[in-house]
Amino acid sequence: MCDCFRFGCFHPSLLNACFCPQLLMAQVATRMKLDWLGRSAGPESEEYRNTFCKVATLVVFYYLIRTALAPFKPDVDFDEEGNVVEDEDGPDAPLWVQIVDNAVGTAFGLYTLIVMIKVRRSIREKYSIQPQRCGACEDCCAVFWCGCCTVAQMARHTADYNERRAVCCSSTGLPDTPELQPAMIV
């Protein structure tokens, strides 16, 4: 799992893993033919081809909503000695804005956690990878404690970056090809 820098600090999959792991998760899900909820799209379904677009749209809406609802920082005042005087009125944003902001953040975090666990479990099942340390909870523990490292590992397991270059914003994270060929790299 700790082989994130194997292809350099500016490798597209590493950058996605660090700055927007949901996009890399969507690329891996597309390679694995999973939909935007981490479910198998079925052998004859083309639903998996929309996974990246749906997740990218979700990410954009998430950041737009969070930006629009972000509670304002409370006023900071200083006394004559230069010490910070706390604002006793509380934050400037109304309570409903804070509640909606927290609810959106929690929902997006749970979505990311659940789908990333499902994608990781699908990879382990497809390639017959047994849990190493935490048994049935390994997928959950890996994603919860280091989601960035986990999604970077999933990307390396489903693409051979020695054979094909990575790209940041394609549906698979790889140059467009007619057929997806997931490959496990150990």
Side-chain angles (χ1 to χ4, degrees), residues 62 65-66 68-71 94-108:
Y62 166 74
I65 290 168
R66 288 298 298 265
L69 294 177
L95 181 61
W96 72 269
V97 170
Q98 295 174 47
I99 291 170
V100 171
D101 184 58
N102 288 332
V104 168
T106 300
F108 189 70

Side-chain angles (χ1 to χ4, degrees), residues 41-64:
E44 298 183 19
S45 174
E46 296 292 313
E47 179 65 26
Y48 73 92
R49 294 189 185 275
N50 298 323
T51 298
F52 182 79
C53 284
K54 287 182 179 181
V55 174
T57 301
L58 185 66
V59 168
V60 167
F61 278 119
Y62 166 74
Y63 283 111
L64 288 175

Side-chain angles (χ1 to χ4, degrees), residues 42 52 65 79 89 96 98 118 121 132 134-135 138 153 162-163 170 175 184:
F52 182 79
I65 290 168
D79 63 13
D89 297 334
W96 72 269
Q98 295 174 47
K118 291 168 82 173
R121 183 171 295 137
Q132 300 291 314
C134 299
E138 182 163 317
Q153 178 193 37
N162 289 318
E163 298 291 324
S170 74
M184 184 176 133

Side-chain angles (χ1 to χ4, degrees), residues 5-74:
F5 296 100
R6 179 171 166 191
F7 297 102
C9 295
F10 298 106
H11 193 264
S13 71
L14 178 63
L15 294 175
N16 271 351
C18 291
F19 297 110
C20 196
Q22 295 83 6
L23 292 183
L24 186 56
M25 174 188 73
Q27 292 171 336
V28 171
T30 302
R31 293 178 204 164
M32 294 295 296
K33 298 186 178 184
L34 303 173
D35 70 6
W36 70 285
L37 296 173
R39 302 176 301 203
S40 178
E44 298 183 19
S45 174
E46 296 292 313
E47 179 65 26
Y48 73 92
R49 294 189 185 275
N50 298 323
T51 298
F52 182 79
C53 284
K54 287 182 179 181
V55 174
T57 301
L58 185 66
V59 168
V60 167
F61 278 119
Y62 166 74
Y63 283 111
L64 288 175
I65 290 168
R66 288 298 298 265
T67 301
L69 294 177
F72 303 112
K73 293 190 177 191

Side-chain angles (χ1 to χ4, degrees), residues 106-117:
T106 300
F108 189 70
L110 285 173
Y111 164 78
T112 302
L113 180 73
I114 291 167
V115 174
M116 205 176 293
I117 289 168

